[in-house]
Amino acid sequence: MSAQKPQGRKAGLADLFVARPIFGVVINLLILIAGLAALVSVDVREMPDVDQPVLSIRTTYEGAVPGTVDQEVTQVLEDALSALDGVSYIESSSTTGESRITIDLSEGTDVDIAANEAREIVSATQRALPDDIDDPVVSKSDSNADAIIRLAVLGDATFDELTTLAEGVIYDRLSVIDGIAEVSVRGNRANEFRVTLDIPSLLNRGLTVSDVSTALLALRDDTPLGSLEATSQTIALRVGNAEVTADSVGQVSINATTRVSDIAFVQLVPEDNDVFARVNGQSAIGLDISRQSAGNTLEISKAVSAAVEELGKELPEGVDIVITSDDGVFIEGSINEVVKSIGLAAVIVVAVIFAFLRSASATLIPAVTIPVALVGTVAAIWLTGFSVNTISLLALVLATGMVVDDTIVVIENIVRKRQQGMGAFAAAAAGTNEVFFAVISTTATLAAVFIPISFLPGQAGGVFSEFGFVLAFAVTLSSISALTLAPVMAAFLDPGRAGAEKPDAGPGRLSRAFDFVMDRAIRAPLIVIAVACGFAIIAAGSAATLSSSITPSEDRGFFLVQARGAPDTTPEYLDGQVAMIEDILTPYRESGEVTAVQSIIGVGGGTSAFIIVRLLDWNDRDRSQQEILTEVSGELSKVPGVQVSARSTNSLNIRGAGRGLQFAVTGTDVTAMTDAADVLVAAMAQDSMFLNPQLSSDNVQAQYEVRVNGDVAGMFGLTEAEITQTISSMVQGKVAVTVFKDDTEIDVNVVPGGPPINDPSDLESIFLRLPDGAYIPLSAAATLEPVVSQSQIERQGGSLAVSVQANLDQSVDLGDAMTRLSQIAAETLPGGMGVTFTGEAASLSDSQAGMYMVFGVAFVIVFLVLAAQFESLASAVVIMLTVPFGLAAALMAISPSGGSLNYYSQIGLVMLIGVMAKNGILIVEFANQLREAGQDIDSAIRDALRLRIRPVMMTMLSTVFGGLPLILTSGAGAEARDRGRLGDHWRTWLCHRVHPLPDPGVLPLDRSMGRRTRHGIQAAEA
């Protein structure tokens, strides 16, 4: 092996590394060590940190109707919060007794600072709010988002004991975990002292509910007594309240002749609650954990699992705390599966290279590139603040087949130089220097394509940019390894030595066929272009039929069932219908496909229920989540009296994801909008594209309005407030005071006894006490009028809105459904009203708008980079002309394989612009070198294609077969990888890599342009 440099060969950068091999090895070792060190501290999560910062403001206004809540609370807070810095969008909902406002903040807004500012604004606005509301609660999460983890506390204990545990030690332990926004306790029933009044006895003694409540205030005295200050110490004073028991409550004096026990029955019992929780039919208390908008689900899941394990050891015997659903389990399983895919892809790529080179030493060199580039990329991920997630791991899987490209090109050229008679060291240096520009050009082109992607707004920008930059990091490191380590290893291993490869027996049948096609393509370029254009037109037709979605369906190991009753549905009736749903799910639980069924009844004002259905582990069941969900949905439709729907969640935590098509009719008159929405829903029901279209909630409900006659009340010496307070106390009771028992705060609740007041006619039994002690019936001073009012008032972007939703058949694409809805709305909605897409439809609309810009800008940037690299518009045009045909081939690959245009396939299409250009660079750059050496254009094209087709084919098969593990693996996320997410990528790349074969027909376009380029070079030299 001669290290001498032949005469006439120009020295290049490769000579430095061949002459100083340890230097090249050390550079690559440093890259590898940096990546290994970064593995310890890099953030791991499901998806890139693309969650939009969100604030939620929730206010409770007990007993207020939606109209009152909207006018006196929601609108006041909305107007004030609109001045918050960084506000992007505001939506709100006003229901009976509750106001919810959700604020989407603009990208880059610090959610912590925004939350503090929002609290200050709310605090300053409270003077304009009603006095009897609870303080508004500001949280750094989406109040409409699904919980990421659900727990249940159950066992052999009373409800009071379970509630004490759930609201005490368990809540305290979970709420301090970093990233958790809220821990909601469901179905808790603490004890209360219930004072059940004997109404006839109360009236006979000339008393009212107010008298009893006032007397009970004596149970707690918090009067500040000050402190005693002596010379050397200060002694604080406090009122010593006696221990409260049911007997002591009964002994409280109301007046000189009456105690509470004389007119009431006092018990210490669990409080009434409209929310119930069950797990597998057993009563339980649920805890829902919501994460902050910037929280890491996987980290929260690990911390919660550790906390549950610790709490399980501290709970009383017979009481258990169980995790009924956990998004972190899916995330961890999915990431593990993709990591396995990386390892399997590396083995496959090495096998493909060996099949081509048929030399262990030649195969070893590109094989070493894989760990250097992939592990080194982890260091780049850590330095840029990115995370190891499904998207970045997807980039690494695809990079496994790409990172060997540059090394293959270098090694193939070194082997060719060696076979031409050069020594091992000289061939290593000369072969590397010859393709040095091509390697740098391809790397720069791939990196350039990601510049416009990083400027996409919202979630799409975050997903695309992280994927693109991670892949660019890997390719850049692979080029460094190819130009520094590959020539060093080639010089010592000498893969091109005599006998390393089988002797050339002349062109084979495949080679002769390729030469034949190439000759015909060069002689008739217009025919080739015409065929390619026809191919592109056919592909465009196929693309028009592709479905659109944000992400493909995913098997996340559980699904949700929602049951919604009418506004007047009672919790008891809803509980009975949920029991029917649980019966439907029982056979699945008995068969083992379902491991847990958690029901939460009475949410959403008492008219809705959620059932969380946890499935068996992915590897232990035969059917996918979607198959089970589809079968269950058919049976759920038979449950009477409630609207039941089943859905799954998604990776991007999009508000409303999995609920089909969601939108809102906007306008200025809620009643008219509701009528128009009903007409629109009826029109949608006639279209087979929409399944079960309906208003998202029953917007109207029957109510009785109490109208006090002020003149009559004044004549009797009563005020309107006294009358309404009496009605409130008799209908829903009144908490007179809260006391302490065993260091636990307990309500003393005064409720009327006797027959329940559950009918409008029962209100006639309510008597009002006059100042002189006489009584009159309620009907003497007030009347009841039946009215129909809004059960919920929504606002989207400050405008009144009526929400509508419709399920879609599996064969119906969300994008097509949005287009069809817009057409129906234009035909049916009156003037002054419009449609605003919400949930997943809104995200899809935003992403589609940005994608066209990304494709256009990426195309232009790659073209400009190529022109600058080659100093030739002709060469750049030739390379870029192949890109549209590659995109067309990719679209045709997605269509018959059942794929869709979603985030993942769109990433693949954008990638094609750079990668198609990369293959073209290898051929065009070598053709330019041959032409500079004096060859004519035809022979330069033939020689460039003949000599470069082997590395192109090697890189093609490496990438294609390197992607096979994405659809061959099983476990968490396997369905999404196979049918959409990573499968779309693999199908896209497969057709792209096969497509460059007819590219020789495009190169003759450089015939006339090439002359001008060469003449320009000659003129410059002169």
Side-chain angles (χ1 to χ4, degrees), residues 843-974:
S843 298
L844 178 60
S845 180
D846 293 341
S847 66
Q848 287 178 332
M851 276 307 302
Y852 298 110
M853 177 195 72
V854 168
F855 277 114
V857 175
F859 192 92
V860 170
I861 287 181
V862 171
F863 174 78
L864 294 177
V865 170
L866 290 174
Q869 290 172 344
F870 286 102
E871 196 61 33
S872 167
L873 293 176
S875 296
V877 168
V878 167
I879 293 173
M880 294 305 294
L881 279 176
T882 64
V883 172
F885 308 139
L887 293 176
L891 291 172
M892 289 191 68
I894 296 175
S895 181
S897 60
S900 64
L901 281 176
N902 51 62
Y903 275 168
Y904 306 102
S905 56
Q906 288 171 356
I907 289 175
L909 292 174
V910 174
M911 282 293 303
L912 287 182
I913 297 176
V915 182
M916 287 286 293
K918 178 177 180 178
N919 280 343
I921 289 172
L922 293 176
I923 298 173
V924 173
E925 191 273 337
F926 190 60
N928 285 342
Q929 288 184 17
L930 296 177
R931 292 176 64 193
E932 289 180 15
Q935 289 189 224
D936 62 88
I937 186 170
D938 286 349
S939 64
I941 292 174
R942 285 183 173 88
D943 290 346
L945 287 168
R946 186 178 296 111
L947 293 173
R948 285 290 182 257
I949 191 62
R950 178 175 170 178
V952 168
M953 291 295 294
M954 290 172 66
T955 58
M956 173 195 78
L957 293 177
S958 296
T959 303
V960 169
F961 288 104
L964 276 176
L966 298 177
I967 59 174
L968 295 179
T969 55
S970 59

Side-chain angles (χ1 to χ4, degrees), residues 559 561 581 584-585 588 623 626-640 644-647 691 807 810:
F559 61 87
V561 178
I581 297 174
I584 291 174
L585 296 170
Y588 297 90
R623 295 196 294 174
Q626 191 62 35
E627 290 171 334
I628 298 174
L629 192 150
T630 301
E631 183 176 291
V632 169
S633 296
E635 299 181 46
L636 294 177
S637 62
K638 302 174 184 177
V639 178
V644 186
S645 60
R647 64 179 179 87
L691 302 178
N807 294 328
Q810 288 185 350

Side-chain angles (χ1 to χ4, degrees), residues 748-818:
V748 179
N749 191 15
V750 181
V751 298
I757 300 176
N758 53 18
D759 189 85
S761 60
D762 296 335
L763 294 177
E764 297 177 358
S765 63
I766 296 178
F767 285 87
L768 305 174
R769 188 180 65 181
L770 303 181
D772 61 3
Y775 288 91
I776 61 171
L778 176 63
S779 57
T783 59
L784 294 177
E785 297 291 339
V787 296
V788 176
S789 68
Q790 299 297 318
S791 63
Q792 178 172 322
I793 299 177
E794 297 182 42
R795 293 179 182 274
Q796 294 286 340
S799 300
L800 290 171
V802 175
S803 294
V804 184
Q805 65 182 31
N807 294 328
L808 303 176
D809 189 79
Q810 288 185 350
S811 61
V812 176
D813 143 64
L814 180 58
D816 291 341
M818 293 167 62

Side-chain angles (χ1 to χ4, degrees), residues 172-194:
D172 293 341
R173 178 66 178 83
L174 296 176
S175 60
V176 298
I177 293 176
D178 187 37
I180 289 181
E182 184 178 12
V183 179
S184 301
V185 183
R186 310 280 193 179
N188 49 320
R189 297 177 63 189
N191 281 346
E192 68 176 8
F193 287 108
R194 186 173 302 163

Side-chain angles (χ1 to χ4, degrees), residues 561-570 573-574 577-578 581 600-611 636 639-646 659 692-700 791-792 794 803-806:
V561 178
Q562 182 178 11
R564 180 166 58 86
D568 57 354
T569 299
T570 64
Y573 177 80
L574 184 64
Q577 307 314 105
V578 170
I581 297 174
I600 303 173
I601 305 115
V603 296
T607 61
S608 297
F610 275 103
I611 299 94
L636 294 177
V639 178
V642 291
Q643 295 178 344
V644 186
S645 60
R659 301 177 187 177
N692 192 28
Q694 56 185 287
L695 300 184
S696 297
S697 62
D698 290 322
N699 277 46
V700 296
S791 63
Q792 178 172 322
E794 297 182 42
S803 294
V804 184
Q805 65 182 31

Side-chain angles (χ1 to χ4, degrees), residues 226-465:
S227 59
L228 301 177
E229 296 186 6
T231 304
S232 58
Q233 64 177 346
T234 299
I235 302 174
L237 299 177
R238 70 175 185 180
V239 177
N241 292 308
E243 182 180 356
V244 180
T245 63
D247 290 337
S248 65
V249 173
Q251 294 302 312
V252 172
S253 298
I254 302 174
N255 56 30
T257 61
T258 307
R259 297 180 183 275
V260 170
S261 59
D262 296 332
I263 47 85
F265 178 56
V266 182
Q267 297 172 284
L268 180 63
V269 294
E271 61 187 6
D272 290 334
N273 198 334
D274 291 338
V275 179
F276 315 99
R278 288 193 293 267
V279 175
N280 294 337
Q282 182 180 356
S283 296
I285 294 177
L287 295 100
D288 293 351
I289 296 177
S290 302
R291 70 176 177 87
Q292 297 177 7
S293 54
N296 184 334
T297 300
L298 188 57
E299 293 297 327
I300 295 173
S301 172
K302 293 178 179 178
V304 169
S305 297
V308 167
E309 185 176 352
E310 294 173 5
L311 288 168
K313 301 174 182 178
E314 301 173 8
L315 295 179
E317 186 177 354
V319 177
D320 295 319
I321 178 171
V322 296
I323 300 175
T324 56
S325 71
D326 183 357
D327 286 354
V329 174
F330 169 83
I331 296 170
E332 188 170 11
S334 180
I335 289 177
N336 289 338
E337 291 298 331
V338 182
V339 170
K340 293 178 185 176
S341 297
I342 294 176
L344 186 57
V347 173
I348 293 175
V349 167
V350 172
V352 169
I353 297 173
F354 182 78
F356 268 89
L357 300 179
R358 292 172 295 177
S359 167
S361 59
T363 303
L364 177 63
I365 299 172
V368 172
T369 304
I370 297 176
V372 172
L374 298 188
V375 177
T377 301
V378 178
I381 290 174
W382 180 77
L383 287 172
T384 53
F386 290 157
S387 63
V388 172
N389 54 67
T390 306
I391 294 296
S392 59
L393 288 175
L394 162 60
L396 291 179
V397 174
L398 296 177
T400 304
M402 293 181 60
V403 295
V404 296
D405 287 9
D406 293 332
T407 306
I408 287 174
V409 172
V410 171
I411 294 303
E412 193 273 340
N413 208 45
I414 291 174
V415 170
R416 188 169 57 84
K417 293 290 184 182
R418 184 78 168 96
Q419 292 175 346
Q420 290 176 355
M422 283 190 176
F425 282 78
T432 304
N433 288 331
E434 187 173 80
V435 296
F436 183 88
F437 179 75
V439 171
I440 296 298
S441 297
T442 55
T443 301
T445 302
L446 276 177
V449 78
F450 304 117
I451 295 175
I453 296 177
S454 62
F455 293 104
L456 260 181
Q459 288 182 323
V463 172
F464 278 55
S465 61

